[in-house]
Amino acid sequence: MITAADETLLRRAIDIAAAAVAGGDAPYGSLLAGPDGTVLAEAHNTVRRDNDISAHPELKLARWAARELDAETAARTTLYTSCQPCGMCGGGIVRSGIGRVVYALSTEQLMELNPQSGEWPAVAQEGPALLEEARTPIEAYYGPR
Ligand SMILES: Nc1nc2[nH]cnc2c(=O)[nH]1
């Protein structure tokens, strides 16, 4: 559920995205807030400026949270972001321990505006032989189930 306080912080994330565009960067903005709504950190997309495909604001904030917050604190934070995080950022968010994500535009809605956003050229292998081979190093590290 989205509260009025969530909407205020989501508007701030959208303002960050608008400021990014005004500054010549891509139109994505995010912020990380504590449980009382205090803004802990803000970021925008600097992919082009930094020539770095990982310079999405959501991933920057996930890295910040993992570095600066203990796990209990991270779990009580909310990431507000102008667009739904992509797969790359989603993984980083899970690993950071951030507890909640609130976004404005969904990936589906974003793709209507920019069809290049969110397409993954991935194909899964289907045979059982490779499955066993792929499990071997994972089990060697984590132990068998
Ligand atoms: N959510 C989100 N989607 C994107 N698609 C391309 N760049 C971005 C970004 O920085 N954030």
Side-chain angles (χ1 to χ4, degrees):
M1 202 193 92
I2 306 264
T3 65
D6 285 331
E7 273 188 26
T8 301
L9 288 164
L10 198 48
R11 282 212 171 83
R12 170 74 199 140
I14 296 166
D15 286 346
I16 295 167
V21 173
D25 290 316
Y28 304 96
S30 313
L31 65 88
L32 190 67
D36 62 354
T38 305
V39 176
L40 303 174
E42 297 182 341
H44 71 272
N45 179 306
T46 52
V47 166
R48 209 183 303 163
R49 175 200 300 262
D50 295 340
N51 190 23
D52 176 1
I53 59 162
S54 73
H56 286 194
E58 299 96 326
L59 190 57
K60 292 179 190 178
L61 294 175
R63 298 181 74 201
W64 183 89
R67 205 169 51 237
E68 302 293 334
L69 306 178
D70 61 53
E72 232 169 72
T73 308
R76 298 173 67 229
T77 62
T78 299
L79 176 66
Y80 294 89
T81 187
S82 58
C83 292
Q84 184 174 2
C86 72
M88 170 181 74
C89 297
I93 291 164
V94 169
R95 279 158 211 283
S96 75
I98 289 172
R100 183 167 173 254
V101 176
V102 175
Y103 59 84
L105 274 192
S106 69
T107 299
E108 204 179 337
Q109 290 163 331
L110 174 62
M111 281 177 70
E112 278 173 23
L113 301 171
N114 176 23
Q116 285 179 332
S117 293
E119 284 180 9
W120 294 5
V123 180
Q125 67 86 27
E126 286 162 11
L130 271 179
L131 249 187
E132 277 313 307
E133 278 181 52
R135 288 171 72 114
T136 302
I138 304 294
E139 287 185 346
Y141 187 82
Y142 292 110
R145 291 200 67 198

